Amino acid sequence: MSESAPMSARLVTCAWGRIPSGVRLVGGLALGLGLGAACVVIDPGAKLCSLGEQGCSCTLGGACDAGLTCSEDMCVDLDDPGGTTTGGPHETDDGDDPSSTTTPDDEDSGEDTGANTDPNYVFVTSTEHTAGAIGGLEGADAICQARADAAGLPGTYRAWLSGPGVDARDRLAGASGWIRPDGRPFARDLTQILDGRFYYPLLLDEKGAVPQTWWVWTGTTLDGLGYDDGGDWCAGWTSNDGELYAVQGDFEAGRPSWTESFSSSCANSARLYCFGVDHVSDVTFEPTEGRRVFVTGSVIASGGGVQAADGLCQGEAATAGLQGSFRALLATSDDSPASRFDLDGPPWVRMDGVPVFAPGVGMSNELQTPIVFRANGAVASSFTWFGSASVMQPGTVSGTCDDWTSTSGSTPVSSAFHVFLNVWFDEECSAQRPVLCFEE
């Protein structure tokens, strides 16, 4: 049990209209962002990063040691023989070995087969609450129970919420096997949740609807541990003091942002995650056959054209033992990302067999589940090159780094760990980013 688990500063990005006022970077600089902001949070207190150091926030305003370059969330040596020059890939390490051959457990993934025996339900509340209105952990559980009862969901419910002396992961009472109100699987057990390998995200409320705002009180890190951002979890979830802050998650995201996205004023309102805790259920699912999608474990800068990104996709697929032809989901000034693929082919699925797009939808900006997996089965939380405002729209010459041949200018970046192919921010063309890879 941990009252305040260590948490490094993390990248917090904002899509249009997604960030409320009174939020700040977890462990970082207080912000006063108005609704409709499009931003990348910069933490001026970010520490100096050394070679390969994990949890370091060089992307948040920190600096790398002399001779090193910031890539994603760590510092790398581009002159190292195992590295790269501009326009070529080099290996990164955000906790997983890109050369690993680990694969997801196909036996427990994909669509629901109806084989559940007394599964637990899990949902996000349709109601929003200021921190002080929650009424402590017992009050949070009561809110969850009332929402479940009103929707006719059976069982006993507890909130995914940490507080003074209590970690959220210890509140699930040894339960396992969760499904959403629509019957789709969320996760087999706590380990799968903490690893970020859950199937479909927690974006449905107790009635099976998708709420219009995304933010959820958690007070909890990606490891399920409590994190106190100086306000003692809004005084144990009893205070609306606008000068106190606590951690929120984003229900449309994968790991880590589903539970650890940013820190918000206790005066703001947000939802709660509610977990059924009555059953130890062996939830079994059948993977869907289809074309594979993944995010690269290596990063690449513009300069080699779209062919370099395609080569990176094909190379990582081959290393992971995947048959077939793979291309990067990138826009050019002539073509949209989607136009590079046959939209009438088999469905696209993650590496664990979960379909990425809704049934009957060839490709869309909206996903059923974040892509999250690399070709080797490792979980990644990456922002990726994209080049367009939409998967169905071409880019521009300047907005695609001159069709990925130039290191000058900037281009839109998307996310591999959210449920939409959206523009999160613009990135310098000389930066290093992974790419999303789709099987043709």
Side-chain angles (χ1 to χ4, degrees), residues 58-59 64 69-76 78 90-92 299 431-433:
C58 61
T59 51
C64 291
T69 299
C70 182
S71 174
E72 297 214 69
D73 63 351
M74 62 182 284
C75 295
V76 297
L78 297 186
H90 67 269
E91 299 296 320
T92 64
V299 295
Q432 304 273 338
R433 289 280 169 194

Side-chain angles (χ1 to χ4, degrees), residues 36 48 63 72 159-161 181 184 186-187 214-215 252 258 272-273 276 301 335 357 389 399 406 416 419 424 429 437:
L48 191 71
E72 297 214 69
W160 177 264
L161 197 66
R184 282 181 169 171
F186 173 60
W214 305 265
W215 310 120
E252 293 189 323
W258 80 274
L272 294 170
Y273 292 126
D335 299 313
F357 301 107
S406 172
V419 294
W424 282 85
C429 296
C437 303

Side-chain angles (χ1 to χ4, degrees), residues 37-52:
C39 55
V40 178
V41 173
I42 301 298
D43 176 14
K47 69 175 184 175
L48 191 71
C49 305
S50 59
L51 179 64

Side-chain angles (χ1 to χ4, degrees), residues 57-303:
S57 51
C58 61
T59 51
L60 305 177
C64 291
D65 287 339
L68 303 179
T69 299
C70 182
S71 174
E72 297 214 69
D73 63 351
M74 62 182 284
C75 295
V76 297
D77 184 357
L78 297 186
D79 294 327
D80 185 88
T84 184
T85 58
T86 300
H90 67 269
E91 299 296 320
T92 64
D93 183 3
D94 59 4
D96 299 305
D97 179 7
S99 65
S100 168
T101 57
T102 302
T103 57
D105 186 353
D106 287 343
E107 198 173 58
D108 297 306
S109 54
E111 296 287 356
D112 186 359
T113 65
N116 301 316
T117 301
D118 293 324
N120 302 287
Y121 284 97
V122 60
F123 60 89
V124 62
T125 59
S126 61
T127 53
E128 297 177 280
H129 309 268
T130 61
I134 291 174
L137 296 180
E138 290 185 0
D141 294 344
I143 291 171
C144 285
Q145 194 66 54
R147 292 296 89 220
D149 291 346
L153 297 180
T156 305
Y157 291 82
R158 292 185 182 174
W160 177 264
L161 197 66
S162 297
V166 180
D167 297 323
R169 69 183 189 181
D170 295 331
R171 307 192 71 241
L172 300 187
S176 63
W178 291 275
I179 63 173
R180 304 190 313 184
D182 64 352
R184 282 181 169 171
F186 173 60
R188 299 186 308 273
D189 52 33
L190 178 61
T191 298
Q192 187 184 16
I193 296 171
L194 299 181
D195 286 347
R197 296 174 179 272
F198 48 83
Y199 304 119
Y200 292 94
L202 296 182
L203 49 68
L204 295 185
D205 66 20
E206 69 275 7
K207 297 172 287 187
V210 180
Q212 293 185 350
T213 55
W214 305 265
W215 310 120
V216 185
W217 290 116
T218 68
T220 303
T221 69
L222 59 87
D223 297 315
L225 301 175
Y227 176 74
D228 176 18
D229 196 27
D232 199 29
W233 290 273
C234 299
W237 307 108
T238 64
S239 174
N240 289 336
D241 188 338
E243 298 302 314
L244 300 180
Y245 285 75
V247 174
Q248 291 184 357
D250 176 355
F251 68 59
E252 293 189 323
R255 187 180 191 265
S257 295
W258 80 274
T259 186
E260 179 194 329
S261 188
F262 62 84
S263 195
S264 178
S265 165
C266 298
N268 284 338
S269 294
R271 305 179 191 279
L272 294 170
Y273 292 126
C274 302
F275 283 72
V277 294
D278 291 313
H279 304 293
V280 177
S281 177
D282 185 13
V283 177
T284 304
F285 304 97
E286 185 71 24
T288 296
E289 294 292 331
R291 293 177 288 179
R292 281 74 53 88
V293 302
F294 62 87
V295 58
T296 61
S298 299
V299 295
I300 193 170
S302 178

